[in-house]
Amino acid sequence: MRTERNLTRLDRVFARLDREPERPTHLDVPRMSRHRIVLFSATLAFYLAIVVAVLTTSWLVRFDWQVMFFRPYQQWPEIHAFLDYWVVLGQRGPTAVMVAAWLGWRSWRQHTLRPLLMFGASLLLLNVTVGAAKLGMGRLGPHYATTIGSNEMWLGGDIFPSGHTANAVVTWGILAYLASTPRTRRYLSAVSAVVSLSVGLTTVYLGTHWLSDVFLGWAAGLLILLALPWFEPLITRIENAIFGVRESLRARRAGLAPLPEPAALPGAPAGAPAMVPQRPRAQEQAPAREPVGAARSTRAPAYLAPGPHTARSERTPVTPAGSRRPPHSDRATRGTTSARPVAGG
């Protein structure tokens, strides 16, 4: 009696992992649509509004001080230990390693470098934009504030905008950006939004950031994610260049010289097809050369008939020079009578 084993969910997962890697035929690459441009403009306006509100010491700065004096870590101390670990989801080092490992596996499975290159580009934009804003405005944090009610700007700090918040938005949002299907993108967008919001509020709870720092960190990270489609053509060119270098190295290791680029005829129009040089037919049919150092024969050159249509009976026999037969003075030529005397009886 034949029985079939019922595959569990874990067995199906490993069976899927054992398949050969294949590149998807249609990659859902986000484009800079009109809707995305509107969102980018609105987020940029929100970013500038937060900066102006802090620079002018508006109601937002006063609200920052009220939250600081409230001291949430003293109001709810029972969740302090958990939030100390939860805020790690916004740190650059651990999150970058986890996300890079996942995207590296995806790049291997799909035979494309786009996930890793887009993640590297997003981190580069994050370091440049957020880092420049931190150093340029130099705001001090709540634990190091000097004057009550002031905005604490240009005092050598580096907390405006919040790096934890912006990093959480970009690191977890890039997973939604690189999702293969719209459904997966919606789910990952919701997860990344929850993580980035909770990480930002956790920094306010711990007293390491003002609330306005978190607002600006959300805006800074979202601006980077919304601007990524502008970098898609550059990422494609970099990926093609890397694959071209890889193929050149493979051809060089295999001992195959790359074919020269076909040159266009002089005076031909720009769109005319280039002429590929043809190899001479005699060169293609030439026999293989003897290896260097091989022993060559010392035989005399072979006899060639005087004409292609001469019969064998009409050809004149030619004795090759330097016969190997030793000379014998007493041997007569074949077809003649012997010159030996015959003894009489």
Side-chain angles (χ1 to χ4, degrees):
M1 181 177 179
R2 182 179 179 181
T3 58
E4 294 183 358
R5 186 172 64 92
N6 294 328
L7 296 177
T8 62
R9 180 175 299 181
L10 186 61
D11 293 334
R12 289 194 296 268
V13 169
F14 280 101
R16 184 176 180 86
L17 294 179
D18 289 337
R19 296 178 183 175
E20 290 294 330
E22 55 184 9
R23 186 171 185 171
T25 55
H26 301 287
L27 289 175
D28 188 10
V29 179
R31 297 181 179 181
M32 206 64 187
S33 59
R34 184 177 302 177
H35 178 69
R36 185 178 286 268
I37 293 177
V38 171
L39 287 177
F40 182 85
S41 302
T43 307
L44 181 60
F46 178 76
Y47 184 97
L48 296 176
I50 295 297
V51 173
V52 171
V54 173
L55 290 178
T56 57
T57 317
S58 64
W59 62 270
L60 185 57
V61 175
R62 294 192 296 270
F63 188 69
D64 285 339
W65 281 96
Q66 291 175 3
V67 174
M68 194 271 286
F69 286 135
F70 182 70
R71 290 180 172 81
Y73 57 91
Q74 293 182 356
Q75 301 295 330
W76 303 288
E78 60 275 3
I79 61 175
H80 194 287
F82 171 75
L83 293 182
D84 274 339
Y85 290 100
W86 182 259
V87 79
V88 176
L89 295 177
Q91 289 185 0
R92 185 76 47 83
T95 57
V97 170
M98 290 187 293
V99 175
W102 166 254
L103 295 180
W105 182 82
R106 276 194 57 186
S107 296
W108 175 79
R109 288 288 298 178
Q110 298 179 355
H111 287 185
T112 176
L113 294 177
R114 178 175 170 265
L116 284 177
L117 292 177
M118 290 306 301
F119 182 56
S122 63
L123 290 183
L124 181 61
L125 290 174
L126 180 65
N127 291 333
V128 171
T129 57
V130 176
K134 283 175 173 287
L135 297 178
M137 288 180 279
R139 190 183 189 187
L140 292 176
H143 292 318
Y144 303 97
T146 57
T147 305
I148 298 177
S150 66
N151 55 13
E152 301 297 320
M153 300 288 285
W154 298 294
L155 295 177
D158 57 350
I159 57 125
F160 187 66
S162 171
H164 275 71
T165 306
N167 183 73
V169 174
V170 172
T171 303
W172 304 111
I174 196 67
L175 298 179
Y177 179 86
L178 295 172
S180 303
T181 61
R183 182 180 180 181
T184 306
R185 182 171 298 167
R186 288 193 297 268
Y187 288 157
L188 291 178
S189 297
V191 172
S192 62
V194 171
V195 172
S196 58
L197 288 173
S198 60
V199 167
L201 294 178
T202 300
T203 60
V204 176
Y205 168 87
L206 297 175
T208 57
H209 281 287
W210 307 98
L211 186 59
S212 55
D213 299 341
V214 175
F215 289 160
L216 199 66
W218 286 333
L222 189 57
L223 284 175
I224 293 173
L225 290 180
L226 292 174
L228 284 180
W230 279 328
F231 297 89
E232 287 286 353
L234 177 62
I235 295 300
T236 301
R237 288 195 294 268
I238 294 176
E239 181 183 13
N240 293 335
I242 294 175
F243 282 149
V245 172
R246 184 191 66 176
E247 295 301 327
S248 300
L249 293 177
R250 286 182 177 179
R252 185 175 302 177
R253 290 177 181 177
L256 302 176
L259 294 177
E261 294 292 336
L265 293 176
M275 299 298 295
V276 179
Q278 299 290 337
R279 296 182 179 178
R281 186 176 302 275
Q283 183 179 359
E284 295 179 358
Q285 298 178 356
R289 297 182 178 181
E290 296 180 1
V292 178
R296 295 189 177 183
S297 175
T298 58
R299 295 181 181 178
Y303 167 74
L304 298 178
H309 300 290
T310 306
R312 182 180 297 270
S313 60
E314 298 176 359
R315 299 175 186 172
T316 305
V318 178
T319 304
S323 177
R324 298 180 182 179
R325 178 177 299 177
H328 293 279
S329 58
D330 57 344
R331 180 174 296 179
T333 306
R334 183 177 299 179
T336 61
T337 58
S338 177
R340 297 181 180 178
V342 180

